[in-house]
Amino acid sequence: MPVGFFEKIFGIGSGAEIKKINPIVQRIEALEDEYRALSDSALKAKTGEFKERLSHGETMDDILPEAYAALREASDRVLGMRPFRVQLIGGIVLHQGRIAEMKTGEGKTLVAILPAYLNALTGEGVHIVTVNDYLARRDSEWMGKVYRYMGLSVGLNVHGLSHEEKKAAYAADITYGTNNEFGFDYLRDNMVIYKEQIVQRSRNFAIVDEVDSILIDEARTPLIISGSGDESTDMYEKADRFVRSLKREVVKSQDSKRPLEEYDADYVVDEKDRNAVLTPRGIKRAEQAFGVENLNDPENTTLLHHINQAIRAHGVMRLDVDYVIKDGQIIIVDEFTGRLMFGRRYSNGLHQAIEAKEGVKVERESKTLATITFQNFFRLYNKLSGMTGTALTEEDEFQHIYKLDVVEIPTNRPVVRIDHPDSVYKTVNGKNAAIIRQIQQCHAKGQPVLVGTISIEKSEQISAALKRVGIPHHVLNAKHHDREAEIVAQAGKLGAVTIATNMAGRGTDIVLGGNPEYMAKAEMRKNGFDEALIAEATGHAETDDEAVLSARAVFAELYKKYKAQTDEEAKKVRKSGGLFILGTERHESRRIDNQLRGRSGRQGDPGESKFYLSLQDDIMRLFGSERVMGIMNALGMPEDEPIEHKMLSKTIENAQKRVEGINFDRRKHVLQYDDVMNKQREVIYSQRKKVLDGEDMKQSITKMLEEAIDRAVEMATAGREAPEEWDFNGILGKFRGVFLNDGDLHFTPDQLDTLDKNSLRAMLVEKAMARYEQQEAENTPELMRELERVVLLRTVDRLWMDHIDAMDDLRQGIGLRAFGQHDPVVAYRLEGYEMFEEMIEEVKYETVRLVLTMRVRREGALQRQQVAKPTREGYNDGGKKISGTVRKEKKPGRNAPCPCGSGKKYKRCCGIDD
């Protein structure tokens, strides 16, 4: 029985939520005539009135109906667009800090301006987050006209802005920008030395467009600011040559009951987990090839790491599926959008391993300067909301991770698209033949078809098949993306056939009959207008430039001509059945399938959708029921005959749910680890902020000095009662040249008789304070405060970066704790806390040492020395995308056994000075 049946009886789900919202919508609509009667000046004055009322104790909820009514009227006057009732509902849901699920073509861009305006009235700023610079720029110009009309300022935060431009963008009432830029600016702000260098002012309220893409699909991709690190070694090529000589076995899922010794292979590839592991036979071959006694010894960590990444590059990563080669570089293909991810690199040396595999230049590695996941970044906002066409399938995750409810907003017009049952074939060949037949049928009657594929490889296979039967078509994938918007926009023309990867799932609307805007732009290009002028002429920014105004007039005339043509063509397309969505395979996530379906049937248009599947498709082969294949074989089903049965549909849906569950668990797993780093990050960044805000450092430095002495005294006296047994050389070694000289800790027997820990501590503090006062006298109190501030920030940054690397090393090996019946996350938390405490102690000591020993050159201004030179910015999803790799030549983890064989941990032995 459908869930909707119970929703109607018990009043649960989105329907009940919309019932609660309806009275607010009615109040907004009741004000329509009143606000329509206002003059422009009276309408604009409402902004000042609302701000005044908020300052006198009214809440945003109190003024919401009037504020939305005012902006609704402003939008109509400025843009000629009056938000529909369902858009008002969406705007209320966003203001409440929830997710509005709105179907394609329902006008999400316009919905966002309502809560943005209301929340900006507080003066604390609103961030509207888009997935790319183009949308941020378009929406800030287009919707910005309404905000500016109502007296609010609008900022644009995109890549490549200067410091002053970014600061101005964040100072605006409403700031449009991409998730990347907002996140990177947060990290950069927490690396500055002077408060004036900070660009963000607060994280008050964010409205995230395509919220599922950013908060779910990108959830495992930490933002990383990386800097130049050590040069890559030739170990990647050596490991690659070795792996090419190995025999591999590919299995759907490695059976935990089958020992690795039983495989007739050197390494085993697990398709389901996308992992590769050496067998004992492979380990022996590696030991022979590289001349080592035991590959798993700590000193062979780097070698084992290179081999593991090489077998993963060869066994798991696929050309034209996971990555492409473009201009001699390995470029990652986004698995969710099908787009090329320029500037991003796989982490932990995997990218270098793929470069070695494909014979392109192996790039140098880099060092992580700062990092945060999107999950933890967006949880920094006081209030968060979002919109998308597909969120309900991930409602549990939104609730669990972000505490966000999902409310399904009804469509303005009923959806009349026909969603046909899936056709399932025994083999891929049978499925592909049926796909071509369906395309031929649609093409014959002029019905446009959008063919959705899950990879570049699959899209090119369908293209080759269509060429053989003589059907003209466009291909849109990461290799052929230059005309993406134009191709997608024209996919609704009479008889059009468009093959696309997931790139076609979001963004540009597919208009039946064709998009007159793109047709007008194409003719302008033919007539010699350059791209920059076309962009300005067709943009929404106000201008008095004569060339732009002239081009705008040309565009308007062409648009009018093509609009008449496309309107006529649209009638024919509607008669043919509207846009036909043909899915060639189920995606791992039902959400991606729903996005593809949603390209058809917008705003009440007719349309159809149908998925063609085979039991040999990856998702069915890896996660579906083998029993189904057994039944088909038993019945003697031919490969070109489809079956449509509830059991099959249920099997497919269950397979997708299983994969979604696995991916959710992976994202939760990443978050569990990152939450440990996040708490540490919050401590570091909050302390940095106090320093930047001008907190007097003299008291803090004095306290650090005393704590560093306390620790040294405790270590020197621990377990030793008699002063004669104390480790005075240890104290001297730590503070020699800082405030102690060689003869300072020589005591006579009589002096030792009267010495205790308190008197020793007091003597050391007295000497340290004398040195401190000497430094202050030589440098002046004012310069001393500046020195202390810069030294502390520089020391924190340097040691925090080393700590990020150390925590990464810890995490790489912590999974082995599961074999000892220990929870790896708990172990990571406990050991990470211990490492963080050690880092804090090191910060105190290093800061004190530098403050007491630093000499200032008078002729030059004090400048910050960068610890590492920033290179590119990118992502890392726990083993996937990253900008510049972060791994250096691996030294033992701080908690690993020391390679010297002492039996101690590395941090307690040879690594004590690291």
Side-chain angles (χ1 to χ4, degrees):
M1 193 171 288
V3 176
F5 176 82
F6 292 102
E7 288 181 352
K8 287 173 183 173
I9 292 178
F10 298 111
I12 59 175
S14 295
E17 294 302 321
I18 289 169
K19 274 186 180 178
K20 294 176 188 174
I21 291 168
N22 274 333
I24 305 172
V25 175
Q26 288 163 4
R27 289 168 63 193
I28 298 167
E29 292 179 327
L31 293 167
E32 183 171 341
D33 291 342
E34 177 187 335
Y35 278 76
R36 191 174 291 206
L38 294 174
S39 66
D40 280 356
S41 58
L43 183 60
K44 292 175 182 179
K46 285 291 179 182
T47 297
E49 177 191 317
F50 296 146
K51 287 182 176 181
E52 183 74 14
R53 287 167 60 183
L54 287 172
S55 69
H56 284 88
E58 287 193 62
T59 67
M60 283 187 283
D61 289 343
D62 294 332
I63 67 169
L64 184 150
E66 293 158 273
Y68 276 31
L71 203 72
R72 193 180 186 214
E73 179 62 31
S75 174
D76 195 17
R77 294 185 189 186
V78 175
L79 303 175
M81 301 165 71
R82 181 178 291 271
F84 302 128
R85 181 183 182 84
V86 293
Q87 290 174 313
L88 296 177
I89 294 171
I92 294 166
V93 167
L94 293 179
H95 165 67
Q96 292 173 341
R98 305 160 94 177
I99 292 173
E101 177 174 295
M102 302 185 72
K103 302 304 179 195
T104 302
E106 291 296 304
K108 292 191 288 290
T109 304
L110 192 63
V111 170
I113 70 173
L114 298 162
Y117 171 75
L118 174 62
N119 284 264
L121 294 171
T122 64
E124 295 178 31
V126 174
H127 294 168
I128 300 183
V129 186
T130 66
V131 292
N132 58 50
D133 284 355
Y134 163 74
L135 291 174
R137 183 171 281 106
R138 183 200 72 178
D139 294 351
S140 68
E141 292 176 356
W142 188 14
M143 299 296 127
K145 291 181 179 181
V146 184
Y147 302 128
R148 294 186 187 99
Y149 173 87
M150 293 298 288
L152 296 182
S153 56
V154 183
L156 174 64
N157 178 35
V158 291
H159 186 66
L161 298 184
S162 67
H163 173 265
E164 291 72 22
E165 288 169 331
K166 276 192 173 289
K167 202 156 189 175
Y170 281 112
D173 295 308
I174 297 159
T175 307
Y176 282 83
T178 63
N179 51 321
N180 300 346
E181 284 304 306
F182 285 123
F184 281 133
D185 289 338
Y186 167 74
L187 291 176
R188 285 188 286 254
D189 278 354
N190 284 287
M191 296 171 68
V192 302
I193 289 295
Y194 297 100
K195 188 177 181 179
E196 298 72 32
Q197 297 170 326
I198 293 175
V199 295
Q200 290 187 346
R201 56 185 178 125
S202 66
R203 283 163 297 283
N204 175 48
F205 176 41
I207 301 171
V208 183
D209 192 13
E210 304 296 2
V211 66
D212 55 330
S213 173
I214 292 172
L215 297 190
I216 302 291
D217 298 342
E218 302 255 23
R220 291 171 60 211
T221 60
L223 291 157
I224 291 175
I225 294 182
S226 59
S228 301
D230 301 329
E231 290 284 349
S232 297
T233 68
D234 62 354
M235 276 304 298
Y236 291 107
E237 285 92 347
K238 288 180 179 177
D240 182 75
R241 286 195 295 271
F242 168 67
V243 168
R244 287 177 189 276
S245 70
L246 300 181
K247 180 182 178 182
R248 74 179 173 198
E249 183 171 336
V250 180
V251 297
K252 290 181 185 178
S253 181
Q254 192 181 331
D255 186 351
S256 58
K257 295 178 182 177
R258 184 183 178 189
L260 286 169
E261 291 90 340
E262 292 184 7
Y263 288 94
D264 179 26
D266 299 308
Y267 67 98
V268 176
V269 177
D270 185 323
E271 286 190 295
K272 189 179 288 187
D273 285 342
R274 287 178 61 78
N275 196 18
V277 60
L278 284 171
T279 63
R281 190 174 95 183
I283 291 171
K284 284 182 182 176
R285 288 197 61 185
E287 289 167 350
Q288 292 167 358
F290 291 94
V292 298
E293 189 174 331
N294 185 348
L295 186 62
N296 291 305
D297 277 349
E299 61 263 31
N300 296 323
T301 301
T302 299
L303 172 61
L304 178 59
H305 168 74
H306 281 84
I307 294 172
N308 282 335
Q309 294 298 51
I311 62 174
R312 192 165 172 222
H314 280 273
V316 177
M317 310 308 293
R318 296 167 296 172
L319 178 65
D320 286 345
V321 176
D322 301 297
Y323 63 90
V324 298
I325 302 173
K326 190 175 179 69
D327 300 327
Q329 291 185 312
I330 301 298
I331 310 294
I332 296 169
V333 178
D334 189 304
E335 64 178 303
F336 296 103
T337 66
R339 289 182 169 83
L340 292 183
M341 305 172 81
F342 292 99
R344 305 185 191 180
R345 292 175 66 82
Y346 292 113
S347 67
N348 301 331
L350 178 59
H351 209 96
Q352 280 87 347
I354 296 171
E355 287 168 336
K357 167 191 170 185
E358 298 295 348
V360 302
K361 182 185 175 186
V362 179
E363 298 289 343
R364 64 183 295 181
E365 298 180 353
S366 60
K367 180 179 178 64
T368 302
L369 307 185
T371 176
I372 189 171
T373 60
F374 279 122
Q375 289 168 318
N376 274 318
F377 173 68
F378 280 106
R379 293 197 300 182
L380 293 171
Y381 280 86
N382 298 329
K383 184 164 75 172
L384 180 64
S385 67
M387 5 175 231
T388 180
T390 48
L392 276 175
T393 56
E394 314 291 350
E395 186 172 16
D396 288 347
E397 184 162 354
F398 281 121
Q399 179 60 247
H400 180 84
I401 304 293
Y402 303 101
K403 304 295 184 285
L404 289 172
D405 295 327
V406 178
V407 180
E408 188 177 13
I409 311 298
T411 54
N412 186 47
R413 294 176 182 170
V415 176
V416 296
R417 182 186 66 240
I418 301 168
D419 295 327
H420 297 285
D422 298 340
S423 282
V424 184
Y425 290 79
K426 186 176 175 181
T427 66
V428 171
N429 289 337
K431 176 186 76 170
N432 288 344
I435 286 170
I436 301 304
R437 287 196 299 271
Q438 179 67 66
I439 295 171
Q440 287 174 316
Q441 288 172 18
C442 291
H443 188 63
K445 61 178 180 177
Q447 184 175 18
V449 184
L450 176 64
V451 184
T453 65
I454 66 167
S455 69
I456 298 168
E457 183 182 40
K458 298 285 172 65
S459 66
E460 292 182 344
Q461 286 173 2
I462 298 294
S463 174
L466 286 178
K467 283 176 184 174
R468 286 195 292 271
V469 296
I471 291 184
H473 59 277
H474 290 290
V475 178
L476 176 62
N477 60 35
K479 285 186 174 179
H480 311 283
H481 66 283
D482 300 335
R483 295 168 52 235
E484 175 186 344
E486 182 182 340
I487 291 171
V488 173
Q490 302 301 66
K493 285 184 69 63
L494 193 70
V497 177
T498 309
I499 304 168
T501 54
N502 299 329
M503 296 173 80
R506 299 183 190 270
T508 312
D509 272 352
I510 298 177
V511 182
L512 298 188
N515 190 314
E517 177 183 341
Y518 286 89
M519 296 168 80
K521 286 180 180 177
E523 185 161 335
M524 288 179 77
R525 288 188 197 100
K526 286 181 185 175
N527 293 337
F529 287 88
D530 64 56
E531 287 296 335
L533 186 55
I534 292 173
E536 288 190 69
T538 57
H540 302 280
E542 295 177 10
T543 181
D544 55 4
D545 184 281
E546 288 187 13
V548 175
L549 292 173
S550 174
R552 197 164 279 180
V554 171
F555 172 75
E557 193 62 35
L558 289 171
Y559 181 88
K560 184 179 177 183
K561 179 182 81 171
Y562 285 117
K563 183 73 168 69
Q565 289 181 19
T566 55
D567 283 351
E568 278 302 308
E569 192 168 318
K571 292 176 185 175
K572 297 176 184 176
V573 172
R574 289 188 181 95
K575 280 185 180 178
S576 74
L579 179 64
F580 194 107
I581 299 294
L582 195 157
T584 62
E585 201 164 327
R586 285 285 192 179
H587 195 274
E588 287 186 353
S589 168
R590 289 169 294 165
R591 198 162 36 82
I592 308 298
D593 294 340
N594 292 338
Q595 285 166 13
L596 181 61
R597 284 193 200 276
R599 306 307 289 154
S600 176
R602 60 184 290 282
Q603 284 293 324
D605 282 339
E608 297 179 68
S609 74
K610 185 177 181 70
F611 278 80
Y612 286 80
L613 315 173
S614 91
L615 296 183
Q616 292 179 335
D617 292 347
D618 284 349
I619 192 164
M620 290 297 293
R621 190 170 53 81
L622 298 177
F623 298 96
S625 171
E626 293 182 0
R627 196 161 54 90
V628 178
M629 178 66 89
I631 292 170
M632 292 186 78
N633 286 334
L635 294 173
M637 295 282 291
E639 69 173 27
D640 60 348
E641 187 175 323
I643 54 171
E644 294 171 6
H645 194 280
K646 285 182 180 179
M647 182 188 74
L648 270 178
S649 299
K650 196 70 177 172
T651 298
I652 294 162
E653 187 176 352
N654 287 340
Q656 288 181 302
K657 284 180 179 177
R658 284 178 63 194
V659 181
E660 287 167 1
I662 290 168
N663 289 335
F664 180 21
D665 288 341
R666 285 173 179 164
R667 288 188 288 268
K668 277 198 298 186
H669 193 60
V670 169
L671 186 62
Q672 285 177 317
Y673 282 106
D674 194 60
D675 276 345
V676 176
M677 279 295 290
N678 199 49
K679 288 182 174 64
Q680 298 177 2
R681 186 188 300 112
E682 286 172 0
V683 172
I684 293 295
Y685 287 1
S686 65
Q687 292 304 312
R688 277 188 116 268
K689 188 174 185 301
K690 287 180 182 177
V691 177
L692 291 172
D693 285 343
E695 185 177 279
D696 188 346
M697 295 306 301
K698 183 168 185 176
Q699 187 176 349
S700 297
I701 296 296
T702 302
K703 186 179 178 185
M704 285 183 193
L705 192 154
E706 291 175 351
E707 288 174 347
I709 289 171
D710 285 343
R711 192 176 193 221
V713 169
E714 283 302 318
M715 290 178 70
T717 61
R720 305 178 181 98
E721 291 187 13
E724 292 87 350
E725 298 173 353
W726 292 351
D727 183 13
F728 293 113
N729 285 334
I731 298 174
L732 184 63
K734 198 165 188 68
F735 295 116
R736 180 187 284 113
V738 181
F739 59 83
L740 290 180
N741 296 315
D742 283 340
D744 284 344
L745 294 182
H746 288 170
F747 299 101
T748 66
D750 290 341
Q751 289 173 323
L752 287 174
D753 285 342
T754 58
L755 193 65
D756 59 22
K757 284 202 289 188
N758 288 336
S759 58
L760 175 61
R761 178 187 179 280
M763 184 197 78
L764 293 171
V765 169
E766 183 181 351
K767 285 183 175 293
M769 289 305 298
R771 176 69 192 122
Y772 182 68
E773 287 163 9
Q774 181 187 351
Q775 276 282 75
E776 189 166 84
E778 289 176 2
N779 294 307
T780 74
E782 183 182 14
L783 180 57
M784 195 67 174
R785 298 296 83 78
E786 176 67 2
L787 268 174
E788 290 164 352
R789 201 181 63 79
V790 174
V791 165
L792 177 57
L793 290 174
R794 184 187 297 170
T795 303
V796 166
D797 287 351
R798 176 170 58 83
L799 293 176
W800 173 243
M801 284 185 273
D802 289 343
H803 180 69
I804 291 172
D805 277 353
M807 290 291 285
D808 185 53
D809 286 342
L810 174 64
R811 183 173 167 183
Q812 295 300 322
I814 205 77
L816 298 174
R817 305 301 169 84
F819 294 112
Q821 305 302 310
H822 296 291
D823 185 336
V825 176
V826 173
Y828 180 75
R829 186 182 301 123
L830 293 174
E831 293 196 30
Y833 176 77
E834 182 185 336
M835 290 162 61
F836 184 69
E837 289 292 296
E838 288 182 10
M839 185 204 74
I840 294 297
E841 293 301 326
E842 188 67 11
V843 166
K844 294 173 185 175
Y845 170 73
E846 276 294 295
T847 302
V848 167
R849 184 182 69 79
L850 289 167
V851 165
L852 296 187
T853 59
M854 187 170 285
R855 296 287 182 269
V856 180
R857 286 191 305 217
R858 304 289 176 180
E859 66 272 15
L862 185 65
Q863 293 184 345
R864 183 190 185 195
Q865 296 174 357
Q866 281 186 313
V867 178
K869 182 182 177 183
T871 53
R872 302 180 299 275
E873 294 139 353
Y875 306 75
N876 167 23
D877 69 356
K880 294 190 77 175
K881 306 153 199 163
I882 192 172
S883 120
T885 12
V886 291
R887 184 165 299 281
K888 304 172 294 181
E889 280 306 304
K890 274 201 121 178
K891 63 184 179 185
R894 291 171 56 77
N895 291 285
C898 191
C900 74
S902 66
K904 298 180 181 178
K905 289 184 178 181
Y906 177 69
K907 66 185 178 186
R908 302 290 189 202
C909 191
C910 297
I912 199 163
D913 295 323
D914 283 4

